[in-house]
Amino acid sequence: AQSVTQLDSHVSVSEGTPVLLRCNYSSSYSPSLFWYVQHPNKGLQLLLKYTSAATLVKGINGFEAEFKKSETSFHLTKPSAHMSDAAEYFCVVSGWAAGNKLTFGGGTRVLVKP
Amino acid sequence: DAGVTQSPTHLIKTRGQQVTLRCSPISGHKSVSWYQQVLGQGPQFIFQYYEKEERGRGNFPDRFSARQFPNYSSELNVNALLLGDSALYLCASSLDPRNEKLFFGSGTQLSVL
């Protein structure tokens, strides 16, 4: 079985300040982990993915995430928020034992204040 | 290049009716997956098809069915609609069933009255 918990349903940051979105996962095997972003009225876009290579993963638009097996976490960070980062972010777990289906967390809505 | 396209973008139905949603994957992609996203929640997996065969099914009732055509496009059918079926239905395509890079369409917003 696999599951994902996003620890914050809403995060509010000021433009130019760091962003931290927290994610914990549960999986009975070595998982693949992803972060997706969903802007209003747009489809989901892949930000980055972890597939058992380097534990620090760099993605698009300045985002990065660190895989910590001991803490079963995969937190997403960005050093400096931009207004265009306002969106909903989903942490996702997948794996061959689950038929490669994606299991999404509940999402974190990010608000960026000017 | 065209991305994943879904039709229609919006749909209003009444309880008990049937609905068909359509999806065209990115050219060259042979795997199509369907997800349901209820307002305020993350998407939930419904089906995956690869090379016209069902490769996975989520925890949804038999009222939900899907198929994939020889050109790799796909349809999702929902019978006997319930109010709780109101959601954004997302289609995603990938080159193969490992889903290491899924491309999502913008979805079909279904409202059941």
Side-chain angles (χ1 to χ4, degrees):
Chain A
Q2 59 186 23
S3 65
V4 175
T5 301
Q6 291 183 243
L7 300 174
D8 307 290
S9 59
H10 293 81
V11 167
S12 181
V13 299
S14 296
E15 191 174 20
T17 65
V19 181
L20 169 65
L21 305 184
R22 299 182 294 165
C23 171
N24 286 115
Y25 71 92
S26 173
S27 175
S28 53
Y29 43 81
S30 295
S32 295
L33 293 160
F34 309 81
W35 277 97
Y36 278 83
V37 61
Q38 187 175 37
H39 290 274
N41 301 318
K42 292 193 176 181
L44 289 152
Q45 181 184 19
L46 179 65
L47 279 178
L48 50 81
K49 65 178 181 180
Y50 165 78
T51 53
S52 75
T55 57
L56 184 62
V57 183
K58 294 190 183 297
I60 62 171
N61 301 334
F63 285 94
E64 63 180 36
E66 186 172 9
F67 173 71
K68 291 186 176 180
K69 186 175 181 179
S70 61
E71 299 177 8
T72 60
S73 69
F74 191 57
H75 301 335
L76 180 72
T77 60
K78 183 173 180 177
S80 177
H82 190 272
M83 295 299 291
S84 61
D85 295 328
E88 183 121 30
Y89 293 79
F90 293 96
C91 183
V92 182
V93 64
S94 177
W96 65 268
N100 294 310
K101 72 173 186 180
L102 272 58
T103 297
F104 284 75
T108 298
R109 184 164 296 278
V110 172
L111 172 65
V112 182
K113 298 176 289 185
Chain B
D1 285 343
V4 178
T5 57
Q6 293 186 242
S7 64
T9 55
H10 295 81
L11 203 51
I12 299 175
K13 292 286 188 178
T14 57
R15 281 179 297 173
Q17 285 189 313
Q18 175 264 340
V19 69
T20 298
L21 311 181
R22 295 176 176 82
C23 171
S24 292
I26 290 173
S27 178
H29 284 194
K30 299 181 179 180
S31 177
V32 170
S33 300
W34 288 94
Y35 288 80
Q36 180 197 63
Q37 186 177 17
V38 173
L39 189 63
Q41 298 180 18
Q44 274 196 291
F45 172 73
I46 310 175
F47 286 109
Q48 180 180 18
Y49 276 78
Y50 176 68
E51 290 279 19
K52 294 164 286 183
E53 292 193 0
E54 183 181 302
R55 292 294 293 260
R57 172 186 285 256
N59 189 23
F60 280 81
D62 292 344
R63 299 184 296 107
F64 288 76
S65 63
R67 55 180 173 168
Q68 187 177 33
F69 298 99
N71 66 354
Y72 303 111
S73 67
S74 178
E75 286 182 352
L76 175 70
N77 295 285
V78 187
N79 293 323
L81 285 167
L82 303 174
L83 295 180
D85 295 331
S86 296
L88 180 67
Y89 288 84
L90 296 164
C91 174
S93 75
S94 60
L95 284 169
D96 58 48
R98 291 176 298 172
N99 293 333
E100 290 193 352
K101 190 165 187 179
L102 273 182
F103 292 83
F104 282 84
S106 298
T108 294
Q109 184 66 54
L110 172 65
S111 298
V112 182
L113 306 179

